[in-house]
Amino acid sequence: MSKHVPVDQLTPLEAAVELARLAEEIARHDRAYYQADAPVVSDAEYDTLRQRNAAIEARFPELIGPDSPSRRVGAAPLEGFGKVRHARPMLSLDNAFSDDDVREFVGRVRRFLGLAEDKAVELVAEPKIDGLSISLRYENGVFVLGATRGDGTEGEDVTANLRSLKDLPQRLNGPAPKVLEVRGEIYMRRADFLTMNEARAAAGEKTLFANPRNAAAGSLRQLDPAITARRPLSLFCYALGEISETVAETHWEFLARLRDWGFKVNDRIRLCHGVDEALAFYHSVGEERAQLPYDIDGVVYKVDRFDWQARLGQVSRSPRWATAHKFPAEQAQTILRKIDVSVGRTGALTPFAILEPVTVGGVVVSRATLHNEDEIARKDFREGDTVIIQRAGDVIPQVVAVVADKRPPGAEPWRPKDECPICHSHAVKPEGEAIRRCTGGLTCDAQVVERLIHFASRNAFDIEGLGEKNVEFLYRTGRIHSPADIFRLEERHADWLKSQPGWGERSAQKLFDAIRARRIISLDRFIFALGIRQVGEATGRLLALNYHSAEAWRAAMRMATNRDSDEWGHLISIDQIGPSVAGDIADFFAEQHNLTAIEDLVGRLDRIDNFTAPATAESPIAGKTVVFTGSLQSLTRDEAKARAQSLGAKVAGSVSAKTDYVVAGSDAGSKLTKARDLGVTILTEEEWLELIGR
Ligand code: IVH
């Protein structure tokens, strides 16, 4: 028997025969083990088969086939997923939200097919699994390709990841068509999801999955199939893609074929004789829903007869022969204990509800969003109220309504505070806007990291080496809290920084040098760096141009906090600065802690250079329209643009007959061609720098 022929004595032909036999035998044991839960060989015997398979493949790598058992787990990580064009598009389903919608669906089917009144329409009703759809291709009974839905036309090749799925047959039982493409849903059972998340939490993983659907999607789309192999993914098959021969006349029969071949088919699926039976199924599944071991979000009805399906065809992206009857979002009643406010990284205040914990759709909910103050007022949510909350799929739980007759005596309408709950700065809600914002900016813990990142960024103080990661690090380790602290870093924390992991003498010194180089800054950058709402680079420049010096600007802004002052009048009279921008500037200067932070910062700088308005009349490019194209060597595109604008030029994005100059860097493309065609003056970077006097 070939089984006993030592691997090193096999001829290539014998090896091929032996590999095929091993593949089949291993697949059979896998099915017995995973699907029937009834292994017929011991683990040791099973291992021997796999080892022999591996040994033969090591000697004859050219014989490793697409269904090799060795490819089921642990293949090398991929660079990225390959693209797969679906032989037939993967469609989506039209939705029905009520019993009437479903009756209407069946009515349409009848009309379309011209069926007599008494002709029954058989429908297959299936739980709609909340996972992600997948296409599985088998050739001559062997699994060869698995792909995600993607945009319906083209998906990603996840074959290697699917090989480790216990529910997926690598080889089909019995005779199979030459080509068979089956579609189904990858999902994660609730219990598996909980166990996996607990294990992740125990292992100190920062990110837990929000729900089984996300967990399934995240686990399948791993570039390393060995990771997917360790995730508890499940599969249900429910549809036909491409097929080379007819194997069934109806969907119901087709599902039976799927089971015979070894696919998992949901055993709750029912064949319904008419719409009433289908609706009864929907309502009974709806009641069972919370107890099911997996998440479902509705019921799918499919016209059973394949010939009718073919006649019905599809409208845009969904078949006329199927529809998804969705469950309403799951709701529950609970008590709204408290209305709290969170502060986002940009200072936006968002009210949220702290709830008496309650289970909604299998998940314990103790917080829910309240959107904004106006919504709270409109729906009159009060602390102590009994409220209805709902959770739909991935969506954050929401508070939808108050149960009016359960309101406790003495419950007061909620009043938003005009104070930030984090830093206690003034929180303002401009007229007509839905969102209240903290004015604390640089002093607010919720915002300070974001603000410091902005402060050090390229178009602001431009401190090289002080990007997001390092700002975050220096803040979390308590080394910088304000912009001024950045300029104190060397003096106070030099030794500490040099001894930090990933830092050393040279890298720390480099950062200190970069910081020192910015002790002289131009006024426009200084203003922009403060991160006042609506004050971008252009406004920074405008303010610098109008106020000339840091002292003058700061003094004027402090006065402008009084809306009756001349300074306020002057501020809003500046072209391009309206009351809204001016209001944000004034609000910023009205806060003592902002004034303190600026004072502190100025004290650490050597000089704030007056931004001298270029004598635009003398500027060779005043009033000219300039277009930059290609990459520039000595300065960035942003710098070049800012420079041109400060010299009175307009910078345009595309070339037209109105363009005066096109500045062409290397690799200039179509804009350059167009400039040539239109006879626009083309300058090299050198010529441009010469023109503007560097
Ligand atoms: S049939 C052309 N059956 O629902 C019909 N889909 O909204 C193809 N789904 O993309 C789908 N359970 O991911 C079908 N029993 C079931 C389903 C099901 C879940 C998903 C599937 C599809 C989406 C459509």
Side-chain angles (χ1 to χ4, degrees):
M1 260 177 43
S2 58
K3 209 175 186 169
H4 301 299
V5 177
V7 173
D8 57 2
Q9 288 171 23
L10 288 170
T11 65
L13 185 65
E14 286 171 331
V17 172
E18 176 74 331
L19 282 178
R21 187 192 65 78
L22 282 166
E24 176 131 26
E25 191 169 347
I26 291 169
R28 185 156 54 80
H29 293 317
D30 284 345
R31 277 197 300 275
Y33 182 84
Y34 290 116
Q35 294 175 16
D37 210 9
V40 291
V41 287
S42 71
D43 285 355
E45 285 170 290
Y46 178 78
D47 287 348
T48 311
L49 292 173
R50 289 195 77 109
Q51 280 156 13
R52 184 166 170 85
N53 184 76
I56 300 174
E57 286 184 349
R59 230 195 110 197
F60 301 98
E62 70 281 8
L63 294 179
I64 302 175
D67 65 326
S68 161
S70 65
R71 295 180 57 162
R72 289 181 60 136
V73 282
L78 302 172
E79 284 293 310
F81 297 107
K83 294 270 179 264
V84 175
R85 238 191 131 67
H86 299 302
R88 292 186 188 172
M90 288 183 79
L91 302 177
S92 53
L93 293 172
D94 211 12
N95 289 326
F97 295 99
S98 65
D99 288 10
D100 282 349
D101 287 353
V102 178
R103 290 183 193 282
E104 180 48 38
F105 158 72
V106 179
R108 273 197 309 272
V109 167
R110 289 183 160 285
R111 283 195 298 281
F112 193 93
L113 296 173
L115 301 181
E117 280 290 304
D118 56 352
K119 184 89 184 156
V121 175
E122 257 79 46
L123 296 170
V124 176
E126 311 181 353
K128 185 169 185 294
I129 312 297
D130 201 5
L132 53 145
S133 48
I134 197 88
S135 148
L136 309 165
R137 190 180 173 88
Y138 289 78
E139 287 173 7
N140 301 311
V142 176
F143 174 58
V144 290
L145 183 66
T148 60
R149 180 173 183 275
D151 63 3
T153 309
E154 197 177 75
E156 285 177 326
D157 182 344
V158 287
T159 314
N161 290 359
L162 289 169
R163 288 195 187 278
S164 61
L165 238 76
K166 61 182 183 348
D167 291 346
L168 182 138
Q170 301 292 318
R171 261 169 189 265
L172 303 182
N173 291 330
K178 232 169 117 52
V179 174
L180 170 68
E181 190 203 337
V182 171
R183 279 145 188 203
E185 198 86 353
I186 302 280
Y187 67 99
M188 198 177 280
R189 296 164 68 91
R190 286 187 188 140
D192 290 337
F193 162 73
L194 292 174
T195 315
M196 185 179 102
N197 253 359
E198 275 161 21
R200 286 171 77 84
E205 287 266 359
K206 278 200 212 78
T207 51
L208 297 185
F209 290 111
N211 54 47
R213 208 205 86 84
N214 287 3
S219 300
L220 182 66
R221 293 194 74 268
Q222 288 288 334
L223 286 176
D224 181 353
I227 296 179
T228 306
R230 285 197 294 270
R231 302 280 175 83
L233 292 175
S234 299
L235 167 72
F236 274 134
C237 289
Y238 52 61
L240 175 62
E242 191 189 1
I243 190 158
S244 54
E245 62 201 66
T246 307
V247 293
E249 303 290 326
T250 64
H251 182 60
W252 186 249
E253 268 174 46
F254 174 68
L255 294 177
R257 292 290 87 72
L258 285 180
R259 286 196 183 92
D260 296 342
W261 280 319
F263 292 102
K264 286 267 184 197
V265 176
N266 192 332
D267 56 17
R268 282 194 164 68
I269 295 178
R270 289 285 171 273
L271 176 62
C272 303
H273 306 275
V275 69
D276 292 326
E277 267 184 55
L279 290 171
F281 175 80
Y282 171 86
H283 292 288
S284 78
V285 170
E287 273 162 33
E288 262 189 294
R289 185 180 178 195
Q291 279 83 51
L292 290 181
Y294 41 80
D295 284 355
I296 62 173
D297 57 350
V299 164
V300 182
Y301 307 115
K302 300 173 181 174
V303 170
D304 190 36
R305 280 174 59 164
F306 276 162
D307 58 337
W308 284 359
Q309 287 190 5
R311 281 171 60 196
L312 285 158
Q314 68 186 71
V315 238
S316 68
R317 310 293 301 154
S318 15
R320 267 195 208 89
W321 48 266
T323 197
H325 191 179
K326 298 305 253 317
F327 290 128
E330 296 202 58
Q331 295 194 332
Q333 273 192 20
T334 190
I335 293 171
L336 198 181
R337 290 240 162 276
K338 190 165 185 292
I339 296 176
D340 238 331
V341 174
S342 68
V343 187
R345 279 163 67 106
T346 57
L349 268 53
T350 310
F352 65 95
I354 298 182
L355 307 164
E356 187 67 41
V358 62
T359 307
V360 201
V363 173
V364 178
V365 172
S366 55
R367 284 162 178 248
T369 177
L370 290 163
H371 300 294
N372 56 51
E373 294 172 8
D374 296 348
E375 168 98 351
I376 297 176
R378 198 164 43 241
K379 300 212 167 145
D380 193 19
F381 294 131
R382 304 183 185 189
E383 293 180 342
D385 269 343
T386 295
V387 290
I388 294 169
I389 63 162
Q390 84 177 21
R391 189 185 148 256
D394 290 354
V395 188
I396 307 169
Q398 310 169 290
V399 182
V400 284
V402 175
V403 184
D405 54 9
K406 292 194 182 169
R407 172 163 289 164
E412 294 284 338
W414 185 69
R415 303 224 180 285
K417 294 203 179 77
D418 57 1
E419 189 186 294
C420 170
I422 305 284
C423 71
H424 308 289
S425 300
H426 200 213
V428 294
K429 181 168 172 284
E431 208 37 57
E433 282 184 30
I435 294 170
R436 184 178 294 274
R437 283 175 195 278
C438 164
T439 56
L442 282 166
T443 52
C444 179
D445 242 11
Q447 300 169 66
V448 66
V449 170
E450 195 80 343
R451 296 295 182 103
L452 289 172
I453 291 168
H454 168 79
F455 180 86
S457 69
R458 237 210 1 239
N459 298 334
F461 264 66
D462 190 22
I463 301 174
E464 205 176 323
L466 204 52
E468 200 170 323
K469 210 176 98 222
N470 285 339
V471 169
E472 191 94 37
F473 166 70
L474 293 168
Y475 179 76
R476 301 286 163 229
T477 48
R479 309 295 148 163
I480 59 172
H481 298 97
S482 69
D485 288 342
I486 295 173
F487 294 93
R488 282 193 275 262
L489 193 64
E490 181 172 12
E491 168 188 318
R492 296 198 176 162
H493 305 294
D495 291 341
W496 170 84
L497 186 62
K498 286 171 189 170
S499 68
Q500 291 306 297
W503 289 87
E505 182 78 40
R506 274 186 48 211
S507 55
Q509 199 51 55
K510 209 169 139 206
L511 178 61
F512 300 144
D513 290 346
I515 294 170
R516 198 168 325 117
R518 294 295 178 259
R519 289 203 162 158
I520 298 174
I521 193 83
S522 65
L523 180 57
D524 56 323
R525 280 177 179 265
F526 175 86
I527 295 173
F528 172 62
L530 297 176
I532 304 168
R533 239 172 89 71
Q534 299 198 68
V535 178
E537 279 174 89
T539 309
R541 222 170 297 127
L542 272 176
L543 291 167
L545 277 169
N546 277 278
Y547 292 91
H548 311 294
S549 78
E551 295 74 41
W553 178 64
R554 285 167 58 204
M557 295 306 100
R558 275 203 302 272
M559 314 267 258
T561 53
N562 174 359
R563 312 277 152 124
D564 296 327
S565 64
D566 288 350
E567 281 73 13
W568 169 260
H570 178 219
L571 183 59
I572 58 173
S573 74
I574 298 173
D575 186 30
Q576 294 176 54
I577 293 187
S580 162
V581 178
D584 281 334
I585 302 171
D587 285 344
F588 182 88
F589 275 86
E591 297 290 328
Q592 183 53 46
H593 52 77
N594 287 334
L595 301 180
T596 313
I598 296 179
E599 192 69 45
D600 191 16
L601 170 64
V602 171
R604 306 299 302 184
L605 299 176
D606 290 342
R607 205 168 75 219
I608 302 176
D609 276 342
N610 290 0
F611 185 82
T612 39
T616 29
E618 290 163 33
S619 154
I621 57 164
K624 304 281 190 202
T625 300
V626 185
V627 172
F628 291 97
T629 177
S631 39
L632 305 174
Q633 301 306 309
S634 61
L635 69 183
T636 67
R637 197 60 94 68
D638 284 349
E639 281 176 81
K641 244 173 94 171
R643 201 61 206 284
Q645 282 165 341
S646 72
L647 290 169
K650 281 182 251 157
V651 179
S654 59
V655 179
S656 73
K658 292 204 186 107
T659 311
D660 296 294
Y661 298 115
V662 167
V663 181
S666 53
D667 307 323
S670 61
K671 288 183 195 169
L672 182 57
T673 321
K674 185 146 183 217
R676 285 206 186 100
D677 292 348
L678 293 172
V680 173
T681 309
I682 299 165
L683 303 175
T684 63
E685 185 175 342
E686 263 311 299
E687 289 166 337
W688 161 254
L689 292 172
E690 206 145 56
L691 175 66
I692 62 169
R694 306 246 158 186

Coordinates of all heavy atoms in Angstrom, one line a residue, residues 72 151 178 264 367 465:
R72 N -4.6 25.3 4.7 CA -5.8 25.7 5.5 C -5.4 26.6 6.6 O -6.2 27.5 7.0 CB -6.5 24.5 6.0 CG -7.2 23.7 5.0 CD -8.0 22.5 5.6 NE -8.9 23.0 6.5 CZ -10.2 22.5 6.6 NH1 -10.5 21.6 5.8 NH2 -11.0 22.9 7.5
D151 N -17.9 46.0 -3.9 CA -19.0 46.9 -4.4 C -20.1 46.1 -5.1 O -20.9 46.7 -5.8 CB -18.4 48.0 -5.3 CG -17.7 47.4 -6.5 OD1 -17.8 46.1 -6.7 OD2 -17.2 48.2 -7.3
K178 N -19.0 21.1 -12.3 CA -17.7 21.6 -12.7 C -17.4 22.9 -12.0 O -16.4 23.1 -11.4 CB -17.6 21.7 -14.2 CG -16.5 21.1 -14.9 CD -16.7 21.1 -16.4 CE -15.7 21.9 -17.1 NZ -14.3 21.5 -16.8
K264 N -23.0 24.4 5.6 CA -23.9 24.8 6.7 C -25.0 25.6 6.1 O -24.8 26.6 5.5 CB -23.1 25.6 7.7 CG -22.2 24.9 8.5 CD -22.8 24.4 9.8 CE -21.8 23.8 10.7 NZ -22.3 22.9 11.7
R367 N -25.3 54.0 28.7 CA -25.1 55.3 28.2 C -25.8 55.4 26.8 O -25.8 54.5 26.1 CB -23.7 55.7 28.0 CG -23.0 56.0 29.2 CD -21.5 55.9 29.0 NE -20.8 56.2 30.2 CZ -20.1 57.4 30.4 NH1 -19.9 58.2 29.4 NH2 -19.5 57.6 31.6
G465 N 9.8 67.7 14.2 CA 9.9 66.6 15.2 C 8.9 66.7 16.3 O 8.8 65.8 17.2

